[in-house]
Amino acid sequence: MTENAKTIDDFLRNCEPKLTESATYLLKPFLSVVSLPKKHVLVKEKQICGKVYFICKGASRSFYLQNGVEVHTWFAFENEVIGSLRNFNNLPSRENIELLEESVLIAFDIAGIQTLMQENIEVANFVNVTILEYALFMEDKFFDLHMKPSNEKFSALLAHSPEIFQRVPLTYIASYLGISRETLSRLRAK
Amino acid sequence: MTENAKTIDDFLRNCEPKLTESATYLLKPFLSVVSLPKKHVLVKEKQICGKVYFICKGASRSFYLQNGVEVHTWFAFENEVIGSLRNFNNLPSRENIELLEESVLIAFDIAGIQTLMQENIEVANFVNVTILEYALFMEDKFFDLHMKPSNEKFSALLAHSPEIFQRVPLTYIASYLGISRETLSRLRAK
DNA sequence: GTAATTTTGTGATATATATCAAATGAAATT
DNA sequence: AATTTCATTTGATATATATCACAAAATTAC
């Protein structure tokens, strides 16, 4: 989507696909910058939050509760978009999103952008490309998680998202991979 | 997308979101009906096929080869769309798609439709909605496959896609769930 | 800087599932 | 209808990983 945006203007200037003056002018009212502390909860399970966020700086974890235990679904860092896609269809989120670090985010108002999409083909195609990217990203995750022996799942994650192992506690990663934290610790020892 | 379409006109008349006369007129040249026998291979791993297909009648399996063994990624039936989304970004397919039964399909020319999307906002939003649905569907699959004990993965699949157990060999289903066919057979016995 | 809390690592046992082998059952082919 | 091929079931053993218990290390808070 965009690389290393620090402000709304950065974001709109550098985003992919490129936007014309008129499209950025239309989009701008629906974007805002927010600074939030570690452990802030952006999205709550079973609720509709109405926003998606681009991470300028920081990190987040996504997880849902299953019989009282946290099951992790992903971790995001700079230049990634977080927030439930289900918002676009007015479906409640299935996961919580919490900040792992102090963060700076750009918030997008979904309802406003969806209205724009009906009128402006450039905005429609911009969102289109972003959602397509997300779908392809989900496919990648699906393939990696589908790997059978635990050590291959571990290797796939390490190969495709090494940053996770630098910035996320092992316990959360184990929960994402569907293995116990002890097993992950032992796998990593090799 | 559409329910129970048997012809191109059916499809265009009943599709969701609704299309106007002018949009259906633009789309029509890029659709065609094909009848294919069981075991026909629609999409080959590592190739770009340039089409996606809507299943009017029939069933398919999707799988990739890992060290010579087939690992299944999904099964599709009537009223579902198959074909690699990666085509939209000119990326080769990661999976093979093969028909499990004699089938009738509507083929969509991706390049043609992508050109239309640049000009016609109605077509853009139609494809938009379809891709969004696909992304949400991938999320659902991801959540179900993320279930930890094998019996929960099994139950989740049975609950959300019972048809699979009627029309797909157990061996393929076990391969999708990432468990051995013996274990699946024993799980089902309960 | 010390205490408290959280995170990670190591060992011992229990358990689920893979694997191997063989038998039964169902479909497709001639 | 008979034969071949493919799919499912059942049993016995091996193996990987979960679980439990605790120790060590690293972070965070005071």
Side-chain angles (χ1 to χ4, degrees):
Chain A
M1 200 184 204
T2 305
E3 290 291 304
N4 295 317
K6 294 272 165 276
T7 66
I8 291 175
D9 287 328
D10 268 2
F11 180 87
L12 290 169
R13 200 175 320 117
N14 301 325
C15 66
E16 197 58 53
K18 295 273 175 288
L19 292 168
T20 61
E21 280 289 327
S22 67
T24 61
Y25 180 79
L26 287 170
L27 269 172
K28 219 166 170 178
F30 300 112
L31 314 196
S32 55
V33 172
V34 286
S35 283
L36 293 165
K38 187 171 173 170
K39 292 200 177 168
H40 178 87
V41 177
L42 276 175
V43 178
K44 284 208 180 70
E45 214 175 324
K46 292 177 187 165
Q47 297 191 3
I48 299 178
C49 110
K51 307 244 186 237
V52 292
Y53 301 89
F54 173 86
I55 306 179
C56 298
K57 187 176 176 328
S60 72
R61 66 182 181 120
S62 303
F63 62 96
Y64 61 95
L65 267 94
Q66 188 173 34
N67 313 323
V69 308
E70 295 178 348
V71 180
H72 287 78
T73 53
W74 197 236
F75 311 99
F77 308 102
E78 284 78 14
N79 303 319
E80 295 183 54
V81 177
I82 51 177
S84 176
L85 203 68
R86 292 163 59 88
N87 278 327
F88 278 82
N89 275 5
N90 280 315
L91 295 167
S93 172
R94 223 171 354 198
E95 46 197 4
N96 307 283
I97 305 182
E98 185 188 296
L99 298 177
L100 287 168
E101 306 169 2
E102 193 178 28
S103 303
V104 179
L105 312 167
I106 298 178
F108 294 75
D109 185 73
I110 293 175
I113 288 171
Q114 280 190 309
T115 308
L116 277 188
M117 287 171 69
Q118 298 305 315
E119 300 153 11
N120 185 286
I121 196 165
E122 214 184 322
V123 173
N125 281 322
F126 177 76
V127 177
N128 216 346
V129 166
T130 305
I131 290 177
L132 176 60
E133 260 173 33
Y134 179 79
L136 293 176
F137 163 75
M138 281 301 296
E139 272 195 5
D140 288 345
K141 275 171 69 180
F142 180 80
F143 267 75
D144 284 353
L145 209 61
H146 208 272
M147 300 277 125
K148 198 45 235 322
S150 294
N151 57 18
E152 288 191 25
K153 276 199 280 205
F154 164 74
S155 304
L157 186 64
L158 184 59
H160 294 142
S161 311
E163 200 167 18
I164 290 178
F165 290 88
Q166 248 90 64
R167 297 170 75 177
V168 177
L170 220 60
T171 317
Y172 296 167
I173 302 175
S175 148
Y176 170 74
L177 291 171
I179 63 182
S180 72
R181 91 196 113 83
E182 292 94 334
T183 298
L184 181 55
S185 171
R186 283 186 256 255
L187 281 175
R188 198 174 58 159
K190 295 176 200 167
Chain B
M1 200 186 204
T2 305
E3 290 291 304
N4 296 316
K6 295 272 165 277
T7 66
I8 291 174
D9 287 328
D10 269 4
F11 180 87
L12 290 169
R13 200 175 320 117
N14 301 323
C15 66
E16 196 60 53
K18 294 272 174 286
L19 292 168
T20 60
E21 280 289 327
S22 67
T24 61
Y25 179 79
L26 287 170
L27 269 171
K28 220 166 167 177
F30 301 111
L31 313 196
S32 55
V33 173
V34 285
S35 284
L36 294 165
K38 187 170 172 170
K39 294 198 177 169
H40 179 88
V41 177
L42 277 174
V43 178
K44 284 208 181 71
E45 213 175 324
K46 294 177 186 163
Q47 296 192 2
I48 299 178
C49 111
K51 307 246 185 232
V52 293
Y53 301 89
F54 173 86
I55 305 179
C56 298
K57 189 175 173 325
S60 73
R61 66 182 180 119
S62 303
F63 62 96
Y64 62 95
L65 266 96
Q66 188 173 33
N67 313 324
V69 306
E70 295 179 349
V71 180
H72 286 79
T73 53
W74 196 237
F75 310 99
F77 307 102
E78 283 79 14
N79 303 319
E80 295 183 54
V81 178
I82 51 178
S84 176
L85 203 66
R86 291 162 59 88
N87 278 326
F88 278 83
N89 276 5
N90 281 315
L91 296 167
S93 171
R94 223 171 352 198
E95 46 198 5
N96 307 283
I97 305 183
E98 185 187 298
L99 297 177
L100 286 168
E101 305 170 4
E102 195 178 26
S103 303
V104 179
L105 313 166
I106 298 177
F108 294 74
D109 184 73
I110 293 176
I113 288 171
Q114 281 191 308
T115 308
L116 276 188
M117 286 171 70
Q118 299 304 316
E119 300 153 8
N120 185 286
I121 196 164
E122 215 184 320
V123 173
N125 282 322
F126 177 77
V127 176
N128 217 344
V129 166
T130 305
I131 291 176
L132 176 59
E133 260 173 33
Y134 180 78
L136 293 176
F137 162 76
M138 281 302 296
E139 273 195 4
D140 289 344
K141 274 171 71 180
F142 180 81
F143 268 75
D144 285 353
L145 207 63
H146 207 271
M147 299 277 127
K148 197 48 233 319
S150 294
N151 57 17
E152 288 191 26
K153 274 198 281 204
F154 164 73
S155 303
L157 185 65
L158 184 59
H160 294 142
S161 311
E163 198 168 17
I164 289 178
F165 290 87
Q166 248 88 63
R167 297 170 74 177
V168 177
L170 218 62
T171 316
Y172 297 167
I173 303 175
S175 148
Y176 171 74
L177 290 172
I179 62 184
S180 72
R181 86 196 116 85
E182 292 93 332
T183 299
L184 181 55
S185 171
R186 282 184 258 255
L187 281 174
R188 196 174 59 160
K190 296 178 202 167

